Amino acid sequence: MPYRAPVEDYQFIFDHVVGLAQVTATDRFSETTPDLTSAILTEAGRMCEEVLHPLQRNGDLHPAHLENGVVRTSPGFAEGYRAIAEGGWVSIGADPAHGGMGLPMTLTTAVNEMMSAACLSLQLNPLMTQGQIEALEHHASDAIKDIYLPRLVSGEWCGTMNLTEAQAGSDVGALRSKAEPNGDGTYAITGQKIFISWGDNDFAENVCHLVLARLPDGKPGTKGISLFLVPKYIPDENGAPGRANALSVVSLEHKMGLHGSPTCVMQYDGATGWLVGEEHDGMRAMFTMMNNARLGVGGQGIGAAEGALQHALAYAQERKQGRSPVENGTGTIIDHADVRRMLTTMKAETYAARSIALACAVAIDMQTATGAADWAARAAFLTPIAKAFGTDTGIAVSDLGVQVHGGMGYIEETGAAQYLRDVRVTAIYEGTNGIQAMDFTARKLMDGGEAAQALIDEIEAQAEGARAKLPELAEPVWQASETLREGLDWMLAQSDPNQRFAGAVPFLRAFARVLGGHYHLAAAIAEGGDGPRTRLARFYITRLLPEHEGLLAHATAGSDDLYALSPEDLSA
């Protein structure tokens, strides 16, 4: 079934919900005119529809495989990647000094989401490169920048991120990879990394790995870790790929989904690498890439949700079954109330998650453009929400998509199950959603809740302003924001972090629920209180927003009952 890029939805959210105009009003992004924004969305959408989406099933049915130590990619992926690179879609936000477009992260986020909806397996590749570009821009030496950035920006070379080891998953500080100085400014990197997305391919001239390893004098834990750039081929004096480095792909993981994306076990045997940033400060540099990726992964979830929604809607409008319960119905299953409930939930959730992600991107852009502390705080606060809620939404909406198809959803030929299989991992990588929630209730509240309170204040102010014209929508949003504030107060009062962590996931989701109501209300206000966006807002605010109360009850229950059952009790 064809994919249609939701260009109009992005434009509406830019103009009426997240305030892209405040970004383009800054000196930093003043060249991002409305015409340019429209052209970017239109052209990227066309590529996703015509080039990438036809590759979606190829990646699933004909997975990447390892052949004599070389990764062979799925049919058509090389041509699809070439379209991405030649269109400049790898480097929308990269510095123009190295060939990038220098456009806002907000536009990058929208384009990445469209690519994710069209073909998530392939979109993972440029997402990794984008994160590496940002990390090098902020932390690498000029010599590294001059060689690597123009080639990463152009898409000639690809980038990866190497954190995880078999014995050190989320506990990155337990890594064993080591780096020995070679005496010439380079380092010998030795160790093995797992779960490396797009660790190799057969279409890029070079693959550049950012690898975490420990120097001989590095302390135990994360504070002793350094970051190194380790290319597949060592650049010669002209910057062209030269001799092969001492690294290899040991194997490819056999995954539940994302079959077109080669997830590699990487082996480094004294491979030549260059230090990025300061010694023993690798985590700070890597977090630049990880924070970029966390918003991007949230967008992957939203893209999968959009793809699953379109797939399910098309099926529901074609599938005839049962007698229509409505007068002048279509005669297809979209007439049935439960099918309509599922499809409307899918659309309402996708809109809410998309708005949260784009609001996060706007905050990042405003931080970049102004350097203001309040924008930096907002960007940091929204990032775990965008990642966790975006990916949870992708999973839930894709699951509903299978249900809309009924028995045919369980049959692989329909393609409905692929969305669910592909998106499931997004709640795990770049920091599991549980870790995102723990960060949300710990580090993100270290300001005493100032960033959270500022957002709640804005939600209440908008609801207050809408009470006169849209009381049935504004009042529930206002009440929800007050309940959310009470939950925040409870979190802030807990001195034992485990009390917060026990309810971290439901608290993050409650915050996302209320933000979703806020952004749906904004759409209804912009539409004048009458139209399809208002009707969708009414559905969300009436049926989905009330979940925040149960979530906050869970969030503020503390940890005692979690430990009341012993491991033996759980296994009895």
Side-chain angles (χ1 to χ4, degrees):
M1 294 180 182
Y3 163 73
R4 181 185 60 81
V7 169
E8 291 181 3
D9 204 41
Y10 297 122
Q11 194 66 65
F12 180 90
I13 294 172
F14 287 170
D15 294 343
H16 303 293
V17 179
V18 300
L20 181 62
Q22 61 192 319
V23 174
T24 59
T26 65
D27 291 340
R28 172 70 174 78
F29 296 114
S30 60
E31 294 183 10
T32 311
T33 63
D35 286 345
L36 179 60
T37 298
S38 177
I40 290 287
L41 292 176
T42 300
E43 289 306 313
R46 183 178 294 117
M47 179 201 64
C48 292
E49 293 170 352
E50 298 176 1
V51 180
L52 299 191
H53 187 61
L55 304 176
Q56 167 86 340
R57 292 297 285 158
N58 278 358
D60 197 49
L61 299 175
H62 307 286
H65 63 280
L66 195 60
E67 181 181 284
N68 298 322
V70 177
V71 170
R72 300 300 180 191
T73 55
S74 302
F77 272 39
E79 292 76 13
Y81 177 77
R82 193 173 302 119
I84 294 170
E86 291 177 356
W89 308 120
V90 176
S91 54
I92 304 174
D95 191 335
H98 300 107
M101 295 188 194
L103 295 176
M105 175 60 76
T106 311
L107 271 176
T108 299
T109 300
V111 172
N112 282 347
E113 189 205 302
M114 284 191 277
M115 290 196 289
S116 299
C119 185
L120 183 53
S121 285
L122 183 53
Q123 188 272 341
L124 261 169
N125 184 299
L127 180 68
M128 294 292 97
T129 302
Q130 288 168 0
Q132 186 169 118
I133 288 169
E134 186 169 6
L136 296 182
E137 284 180 344
H138 283 85
H139 302 286
S141 67
D142 288 341
I144 288 176
K145 290 178 183 178
D146 290 344
I147 293 172
Y148 288 86
L149 282 177
R151 294 165 176 85
L152 290 166
V153 164
S154 69
E156 297 169 75
W157 295 2
C158 296
T160 78
M161 176 168 58
N162 287 231
L163 291 82
T164 308
E165 299 182 10
Q167 80 293 340
S170 299
D171 183 11
V172 178
L175 65 78
R176 294 173 185 161
S177 294
K178 60 183 181 179
E180 299 279 350
N182 287 326
D184 60 357
T186 67
Y187 298 80
I189 312 301
T190 301
Q192 189 174 95
K193 300 288 184 176
I194 64 172
F195 301 156
I196 309 308
S197 297
W198 282 96
D200 192 28
N201 65 70
D202 55 3
F203 48 70
E205 290 182 357
N206 208 351
V207 181
C208 310
H209 305 280
L210 279 179
V211 183
L212 288 176
R214 199 181 310 277
L215 288 164
D217 60 343
K219 298 177 181 178
T222 57
K223 293 184 179 179
I225 296 175
S226 300
L227 182 64
F228 301 89
L229 182 58
V230 188
K232 178 181 179 180
Y233 297 108
I234 298 174
D236 63 18
E237 63 276 7
N238 299 313
R243 64 180 174 85
N245 211 343
L247 58 86
S248 60
V249 179
V250 175
S251 63
L252 301 188
E253 305 289 0
H254 298 282
K255 307 188 298 270
M256 175 180 176
L258 293 178
H259 296 154
S261 169
T263 302
C264 305
V265 176
M266 300 294 303
Q267 180 68 38
Y268 298 88
D269 295 305
T272 301
W274 284 262
L275 182 68
V276 175
E278 300 297 323
E279 292 185 356
H280 318 308
D281 196 27
M283 287 304 295
R284 186 170 68 90
M286 184 61 88
F287 264 111
T288 299
M289 185 172 188
M290 288 180 68
N291 280 327
N292 176 299
R294 283 170 175 168
L295 174 57
V297 170
Q300 289 180 335
I302 301 161
E306 179 66 42
L309 166 61
Q310 293 191 24
H311 202 77
L313 180 59
Y315 180 81
Q317 291 174 313
E318 295 173 357
R319 173 65 168 165
K320 294 181 182 295
Q321 185 167 310
R323 180 179 297 176
S324 176
V326 294
E327 188 176 351
N328 299 319
T330 65
T332 65
I333 63 172
I334 200 169
D335 291 344
H336 298 285
D338 191 56
V339 173
R340 194 66 67 92
R341 174 193 63 81
M342 289 188 285
L343 291 169
T344 310
T345 298
M346 294 167 76
K347 189 171 184 65
E349 293 282 58
T350 302
Y351 171 85
R354 177 175 291 145
S355 296
I356 290 170
L358 292 176
C360 181
V362 164
I364 292 170
D365 287 329
M366 292 302 292
Q367 175 191 358
T368 300
T370 68
D374 56 342
W375 281 115
R378 174 159 298 192
F381 186 81
L382 285 174
T383 295
I385 306 179
K387 194 277 182 181
F389 188 67
T391 57
D392 282 347
T393 295
I395 294 166
V397 168
S398 297
D399 184 51
L400 280 173
V402 172
Q403 193 72 15
V404 169
H405 281 76
M408 293 306 295
Y410 203 65
I411 304 301
E412 287 290 355
E413 283 79 359
T414 64
Q418 183 183 345
Y419 288 104
L420 180 57
R421 288 187 290 102
D422 284 353
V423 78
R424 184 59 187 84
V425 72
T426 61
I428 298 171
Y429 60 31
E430 302 308 333
T432 67
N433 286 0
I435 289 174
Q436 301 298 322
M438 291 165 69
D439 171 68
F440 184 66
T441 56
R443 278 193 289 261
K444 298 304 186 285
L445 297 184
M446 288 177 66
D447 62 353
E450 185 174 335
Q453 296 283 12
L455 264 174
I456 294 172
D457 288 345
E458 288 184 18
I459 296 169
E460 289 196 347
Q462 177 180 261
E464 285 277 8
R467 268 178 165 159
K469 291 187 176 180
L470 295 169
E472 77 285 5
L473 300 181
E475 183 62 28
V477 173
W478 189 91
Q479 292 292 347
S481 67
E482 278 295 288
T483 308
L484 181 62
R485 198 188 298 276
E486 293 170 5
L488 173 63
D489 290 341
W490 185 93
M491 283 286 170
L492 292 171
Q494 306 310 304
S495 57
D496 178 359
N498 217 35
Q499 295 292 322
R500 296 187 186 190
F501 293 163
V505 167
F507 183 67
L508 183 150
R509 187 167 182 82
F511 217 111
R513 265 281 165 262
V514 179
L515 280 172
H518 173 59
Y519 294 131
H520 271 288
L521 178 58
I525 293 168
E527 198 176 50
D530 182 29
R533 294 182 185 277
T534 302
R535 292 191 285 274
L536 189 66
R538 185 170 291 110
F539 174 90
Y540 183 96
I541 291 169
T542 301
R543 295 174 182 259
L544 303 181
L545 178 61
E547 292 177 5
H548 79 280
E549 293 187 76
L551 290 165
L552 288 169
H554 186 170
T556 58
S559 65
D560 292 351
D561 60 336
L562 297 184
Y563 295 94
L565 285 166
S566 68
E568 291 75 19
D569 292 333
L570 292 171
S571 61

